Amino acid sequence: MHSRIRAALFTPLALAWVASADIDVYVDGALSSGWENWSWSTTLNTAATDLYEGLSSMSVTTDAWGALSLKQEGFFNTTAGFSFDFAGDPTAVQLYFQGTTDNSQSSAILLSTFTGLSSTKFTTCVVDFSNLPGTGAKLASGAWDRLNFQALANGATYHLDNVKFLSSITVKPLFLTAEPIGNDLIAVTTQGKVDLTTVKVKLNNATITISNTTTYTPIDAPAKTITYFTLSKSLAPGSLVISAGTNTTFNYTLPAVRYGTINVPNVKAISPYIYGVNWPTSASYIQHLGVTMSRWGGNAVTAYNPNGDFTNAGNDWFFENRKSDAGKADDWLGWVSGAGSKTVLT
């Protein structure tokens, strides 16, 4: 079926992009120059005409945990993002990037993170490398030269078209959320260069002035900012309306104050070791989030051998011995402990 229906789909950011220096991976009929097919457990047709835009599309059928894997002769680590048109079941596929020279690998992006995907028409998906879908994190530095659309446990069949890396992405200014978080405090989450002077607060139809603002950018989600607005008076039960920009409003009904008591003798301390993460990315990440327990573990290092710092891929990849992507366990223990976190290897 020849489909020319095309819907715009964006990550949690609203995006626009410039194509003047984009890196094409696939347009019509074949992979672009400089790209090689490194796929496994996958049948690929680069000239499919059952569902396409332009002249043709890529039809992909992949067994469980196989992948459409495309390798560039150069690198795409200086690009701003990645764009592709997708038609298929988004719950069956995940996307991740690799660097074959330095063994770097990004976290996986589930295509189910994107909304509005369909098996009968193409939808444009955009991955902003400064605000990865699902996490809002930034794509780490690496010698990126390989992209992988990997099927999950049940395999996958889908179409791709207009696959490219983007030279630039412009983030549309948006007020994402605004909510009361304290007696005289509201928090407003934004993306892009918004005008914070447009934020207005009304309680029971009476304007409350803002006495102070503090803006904060999370290190794990640098594309967004949170601004705390201190109000000139305390909030009270009733209707709270926070307006921002030209036509964005957030409405709340504040309940009456409820009182209770705490039986102090029955208070039990919470173990600090429940505040843990797997594979913290840096010392600043640990200190910023207050991580008390960090884990080295998972499939990739189940067979880790410290006498040589290598692991085994097992049935995931032909039982191949390979260098651990995570580096040396002793080095990891050193910098994580130095950042103030306890460690566990599993």
Side-chain angles (χ1 to χ4, degrees), residues 282-296:
S282 65
S284 61
Y285 180 92
I286 290 172
Q287 294 161 354
H288 173 76
L289 294 182
V291 174
T292 55
M293 176 65 73
S294 298
R295 173 180 178 247
W296 160 298

Side-chain angles (χ1 to χ4, degrees), residues 2-342:
H2 182 182
S3 172
R4 291 189 179 276
I5 302 173
R6 187 174 181 185
L9 174 76
F10 302 112
T11 66
L13 294 178
L15 305 172
W17 59 91
V18 179
S20 58
D22 295 344
I23 300 175
D24 288 330
V25 180
Y26 174 88
V27 180
D28 278 318
L31 296 177
S32 298
S33 177
W35 287 91
E36 301 172 350
N37 182 8
W38 282 27
S39 303
W40 69 93
S41 302
T42 295
T43 300
L44 172 64
N45 178 6
T46 59
T49 56
D50 55 328
L51 182 66
Y52 64 99
E53 298 172 324
L55 300 177
S56 62
S57 70
M58 284 195 289
S59 173
V60 185
T61 300
T62 301
D63 296 337
W65 306 115
L68 170 66
S69 183
L70 304 178
K71 164 72 168 60
Q72 187 187 20
E73 293 178 0
F75 301 98
F76 53 82
N77 52 298
T78 60
T79 58
F82 179 59
S83 173
F84 57 95
D85 295 349
F86 181 86
D89 179 5
T91 66
V93 185
Q94 64 183 7
L95 167 68
Y96 64 94
F97 305 101
Q98 286 182 291
T100 59
T101 59
D102 60 2
N103 293 316
S104 54
Q105 180 170 312
S106 74
S107 57
I109 300 168
L110 297 173
L111 294 200
S112 57
T113 304
F114 301 98
T115 57
L117 294 178
S118 166
S119 297
T120 59
K121 65 181 178 68
F122 282 104
T123 306
T124 300
C125 303
V126 177
V127 177
D128 182 356
F129 288 162
S130 68
N131 182 33
L132 295 177
T135 65
K138 184 178 181 180
L139 181 66
S141 299
W144 306 112
D145 60 357
R146 186 177 182 183
L147 66 96
N148 303 281
F149 286 91
Q150 185 177 38
L152 301 182
N154 295 321
T157 297
Y158 55 94
H159 289 75
L160 289 170
D161 208 346
N162 300 315
V163 182
K164 65 181 69 177
F165 287 90
L166 306 174
S167 61
S168 63
I169 292 178
T170 302
V171 178
K172 181 180 179 180
L174 285 177
F175 289 91
L176 302 174
T177 64
E179 57 189 339
I181 61 170
N183 189 47
D184 61 350
L185 196 66
I186 64 172
V188 178
T189 305
T190 60
Q191 66 174 37
K193 295 182 179 180
V194 299
D195 183 359
L196 293 174
T197 64
T198 64
V199 175
K200 308 295 181 186
V201 181
K202 285 189 175 183
L203 180 63
N204 297 323
N205 294 320
T207 299
I208 301 180
T209 59
I210 296 168
S211 60
N212 187 54
T213 62
T214 302
T215 298
Y216 164 73
T217 300
I219 62 170
D220 51 342
K224 296 183 176 68
T225 60
I226 303 172
T227 301
Y228 300 100
F229 292 82
T230 303
L231 307 178
S232 60
K233 60 180 292 186
S234 297
L235 297 173
S239 173
L240 175 67
V241 179
I242 306 169
S243 60
T246 57
N247 56 3
T248 304
T249 58
F250 303 89
N251 298 278
Y252 298 92
T253 299
L254 303 183
V257 177
R258 302 182 65 180
Y259 297 93
T261 59
I262 298 175
N263 190 343
V264 176
N266 289 336
V267 172
K268 184 176 181 180
I270 299 174
S271 170
Y273 301 123
I274 71 169
Y275 304 107
V277 299
N278 195 43
W279 298 115
T281 56
S282 65
S284 61
Y285 180 92
I286 290 172
Q287 294 161 354
H288 173 76
L289 294 182
V291 174
T292 55
M293 176 65 73
S294 298
R295 173 180 178 247
W296 160 298
N299 240 19
V301 290
T302 298
Y304 176 74
N305 187 332
N307 299 315
D309 294 296
F310 66 90
T311 187
N312 187 282
N315 194 45
D316 289 347
W317 189 252
F318 305 109
F319 297 90
E320 176 185 77
N321 283 334
R322 61 189 181 190
K323 180 181 177 182
S324 170
D325 293 340
K328 296 181 179 180
D330 288 342
D331 292 344
W332 184 89
L333 289 168
W335 73 259
V336 170
S337 299
S341 174
K342 299 293 185 182

